[in-house]
Amino acid sequence: MNEQLTQIYGYLHGMWRYRWSALVVTWLVAILGWILVFSLPDQFSAKAVVYVDTSSVLKPLLKGLAPETDTRDELQIMTRVLLSRENLMTVVRETDMDLEVNSTAQKEALVEGLAGAIKITGGGSGKRWEKASKVYEIAFQSDSANRAYQVVSKLLNTMIEDTLNSTRTDTVTAQKFLDTQIAE
């Protein structure tokens, strides 16, 4: 016990002896840390969490006739549709990103960069939404808060419009199918 008290006393004596050196080092580290933090660029992130019923109106009618799709396949299909070149060009036009580029090569690079920056997760493939297989998250990160919001908003609007059009088409197809079945 005496040895431990002596050792603690030695540490306290050393700390008191070099207190001014420690204070100077602490201030230098703090100032350098502040400079580093203030030099980092701002990053803004926008996310939209949406429930998507990927099953169509025809699913109950075609049960046993057509193979079932996996939720991962549905996520891949939804991702391909949302990140298609046509949809991304629409997002670029509607968010005025195309005003920043001059050539078609730069526009192509912008579209490819946008496709890589948009993250779509969910549908049972991510840890966060494992149990909720029809909940998807669309995320985008940018140096502009307005741009991040606009990109996610435009993608969400595109998805909603495509879903509504698909639902209308599925309803018409289901109605025709039922009419032909009744006629037979």
Side-chain angles (χ1 to χ4, degrees):
M1 178 76 173
N2 194 19
E3 293 174 14
Q4 292 173 345
L5 289 175
T6 306
Q7 189 176 14
I8 291 173
Y9 176 73
Y11 287 145
L12 290 174
H13 180 67
M15 286 175 15
W16 185 255
R17 185 174 171 195
Y18 295 107
R19 68 184 181 274
W20 296 113
S21 301
L23 186 65
V24 169
V25 169
T26 304
W27 272 100
L28 286 175
V29 168
I31 290 172
L32 289 175
W34 290 337
I35 291 171
L36 178 70
V37 167
F38 284 119
S39 69
L40 292 174
D42 293 332
Q43 287 293 316
F44 299 95
S45 179
K47 293 181 183 178
V49 179
V50 63
Y51 173 82
V52 179
D53 187 12
T54 53
S55 61
S56 69
V57 177
L58 292 176
K59 196 169 195 172
L61 298 173
L62 299 177
K63 190 168 189 150
L65 299 174
E68 295 289 323
T69 58
D70 186 23
T71 54
R72 289 184 185 145
D73 295 336
E74 293 170 351
L75 175 64
Q76 288 177 349
I77 291 169
M78 190 179 80
T79 303
R80 276 191 233 135
V81 168
L82 275 179
L83 299 181
S84 68
R85 187 180 184 312
E86 179 182 318
N87 283 342
L88 291 178
M89 289 298 286
T90 303
V91 169
V92 166
R93 268 193 313 275
E94 290 179 356
T95 58
D96 294 334
M97 291 171 145
D98 58 342
L99 300 177
E100 299 171 1
V101 296
N102 298 324
S103 67
T104 56
Q106 289 177 338
K107 191 178 252 187
E108 288 297 322
L110 178 66
V111 168
E112 288 178 18
L114 186 62
I118 296 170
K119 304 290 182 232
I120 300 175
T121 57
S125 62
K127 293 177 183 173
R128 186 173 179 186
W129 309 112
E130 193 66 44
K131 294 182 181 173
S133 64
K134 296 185 188 257
V135 176
Y136 296 92
E137 180 179 87
I138 303 170
F140 181 70
Q141 194 171 19
S142 176
D143 56 351
S144 166
N146 191 29
R147 175 156 301 151
Y149 170 76
Q150 284 179 341
V151 168
V152 172
S153 176
K154 298 300 179 192
L155 284 172
L156 189 60
N157 289 340
T158 300
M159 187 173 69
I160 290 170
E161 289 171 5
D162 288 349
T163 303
L164 289 175
N165 289 338
S166 174
T167 303
R168 287 185 194 120
T169 304
D170 287 346
T171 303
V172 169
T173 307
Q175 185 66 39
K176 287 180 184 178
F177 177 76
L178 290 174
D179 288 342
T180 57
Q181 290 298 314
I182 291 172
E184 288 178 6

